[in-house]
């Protein structure tokens, strides 16, 4: 008979009973240089709008200078009021995201209520810290976490470092290889009081700019009908932006830049 977890944390139960099932615990010690052959996920952008947050990720994964996948999804809903975006070693990052989803679902079932947004961010920080050994071997996985804080009535953004450090971002944030270019776009395009629709447009344009200068970031792809994965979170909950909406936004960006006729 399987022993049930004694408390509300599924993560603590795994650490105690089955550490081999944790993302880092399931990966053997990496020989030197192996990180070069592991798919990496990039780029994630996040921003606050009036009453909520938007998180968007491109669809490309790379191994060195080779495109490993054009269809990867890097942004996941974690519960009704939060989402997580991942960058870094794709397999480990996805395992962390899935375990985080289970952790929040388990807490809600045991306690009968949602964990606070700060509590969710702290749980995710613990998971990132648990992967520190693999990160030191070149297989880091770093998320962006965003959600709607029901207590404060606002959307909030959190970033992390590989040691599990947790930092709240007040306006916008970006991670991944294209983050420096996306962040430049966000600084120019973001403004206080954005509507949800304008927030989505800003996120897509930031991904577009990142893809323009970073070969590891995949921009909107009309040929293959591939668009960034974009989620918004507000008082109404978590929702994914439909592909047809993203196609319209992408077409507008391409048309505007074509009319401008600027190479750079």
């Amino acid at each position: 008979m399987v022993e049930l977890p004694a408390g509300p944390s599924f993560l603590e139960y795994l650490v105690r009973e089955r550490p081999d099932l944790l993302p880092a615990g399931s990966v053997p010690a990496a020989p030197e240089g192996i990180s070069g052959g592991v798919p990496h996920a990039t780029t994630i952008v996040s921003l606050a709008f009036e009453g909520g947050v938007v998180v968007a990720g491109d669809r490309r994964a790379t191994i060195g200078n080779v495109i490993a996948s054009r269809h990867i999804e890097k942004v996941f809903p974690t519960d009704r009021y939060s989402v997580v975006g991942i960058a870094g070693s794709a397999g480990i990052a996805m395992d962390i995201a899935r375990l985080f989803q289970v952790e929040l679902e388990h807490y809600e079932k045991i306690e009968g209520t949602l964990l606070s947004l700060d509590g969710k961010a702290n749980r995710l920080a613990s998971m990132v810290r648990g992967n520190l050994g693999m990160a030191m071997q070149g297989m880091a996985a770093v998320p962006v976490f965003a959600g709607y804080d029901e207590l404060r009535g606002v959307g909030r953004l959190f970033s992390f470092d590989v040691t599990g450090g947790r930092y709240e971002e007040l306006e916008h944030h970006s991670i991944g290889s294209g983050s420096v270019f996306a962040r430049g776009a966000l600084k120019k395009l973001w403004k206080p009081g954005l509507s949800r629709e304008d927030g989505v447009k800003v996120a897509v344009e930031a991904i577009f700019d990142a893809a323009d200068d970073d070969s590891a970031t995949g921009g909107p792809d009309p040929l293959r009908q591939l668009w960034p994965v974009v989620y918004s979170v507000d008082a109404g909950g978590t929702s994914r932006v439909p592909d047809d909406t993203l196609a319209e936004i992408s077409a507008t960006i391409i048309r505007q830049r074509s009319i401008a006729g600027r190479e750079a």
Side-chain angles (χ1 to χ4, degrees), residues 241-253:
V241 179
D243 281 350
D244 57 354
T245 300
L246 297 173
E248 291 176 9
I249 293 172
S250 300
T252 300
I253 294 171

Side-chain angles (χ1 to χ4, degrees), residues 22-263:
L22 294 169
S26 61
V27 181
E32 185 176 352
I34 193 174
S35 62
V38 174
H40 279 67
T42 61
T43 296
I44 304 295
V45 302
S46 58
L47 60 95
F49 64 86
E50 188 69 28
V53 288
V54 169
V55 180
D58 77 303
R59 303 293 295 275
R60 180 174 293 178
T62 59
I63 299 177
N65 65 329
V66 177
I67 297 175
S69 173
R70 292 183 174 90
H71 301 269
I72 187 173
E73 297 200 1
K74 310 169 188 177
V75 183
F76 307 93
T78 48
D79 66 6
R80 295 194 300 277
Y81 292 103
S82 63
V83 296
V84 64
I86 54 143
S89 298
I92 293 175
M94 289 180 179
D95 274 354
I96 290 175
R98 294 189 189 103
L99 180 57
F100 186 47
Q101 289 171 324
V102 175
E103 171 78 354
L104 298 187
E105 182 179 355
H106 176 76
Y107 181 94
E108 184 177 357
K109 287 181 177 178
I110 296 298
E111 296 295 320
T113 185
L114 291 174
L115 187 61
S116 69
L117 197 65
D118 282 300
K120 296 172 190 177
N122 289 336
R123 294 288 175 93
L124 184 55
S126 296
M127 293 180 186
V128 175
R129 188 180 304 112
N131 188 58
L132 181 58
M134 298 306 298
M136 298 300 290
Q137 298 181 63
M139 288 191 283
V142 181
V144 161
F145 176 63
Y148 180 77
D149 191 326
E150 293 182 277
L151 297 176
R152 298 188 187 182
V154 296
R156 298 170 65 192
L157 305 169
F158 297 91
S159 64
F160 304 83
D161 62 35
V162 295
T163 67
R166 189 205 83 169
Y167 314 97
E168 184 162 3
E169 308 294 338
L170 299 180
E171 298 174 349
H172 50 74
H173 190 64
S174 180
I175 59 172
S177 65
S179 61
V180 62
F181 308 110
R183 196 169 302 173
L186 289 170
K187 285 183 177 181
K188 298 297 183 183
L189 297 171
W190 186 90
K191 59 184 179 181
L194 283 174
S195 67
R196 175 186 179 276
E197 292 73 19
D198 287 339
V200 171
K201 291 176 183 177
V202 168
V204 173
E205 191 154 3
I207 292 286
F208 192 102
D209 281 349
D212 206 33
D213 287 297
D214 175 44
S215 61
T217 302
D221 189 340
L223 177 64
R224 298 180 176 86
Q225 292 292 292
L226 289 174
W227 318 108
V229 175
V230 185
Y231 278 88
S232 67
V233 192
D234 56 20
T238 301
S239 62
R240 180 166 177 165
V241 179
D243 281 350
D244 57 354
T245 300
L246 297 173
E248 291 176 9
I249 293 172
S250 300
T252 300
I253 294 171
I254 293 171
R255 183 168 60 252
Q256 290 173 341
R257 297 194 177 198
S258 297
I259 291 173
R262 295 173 58 186
E263 181 179 346

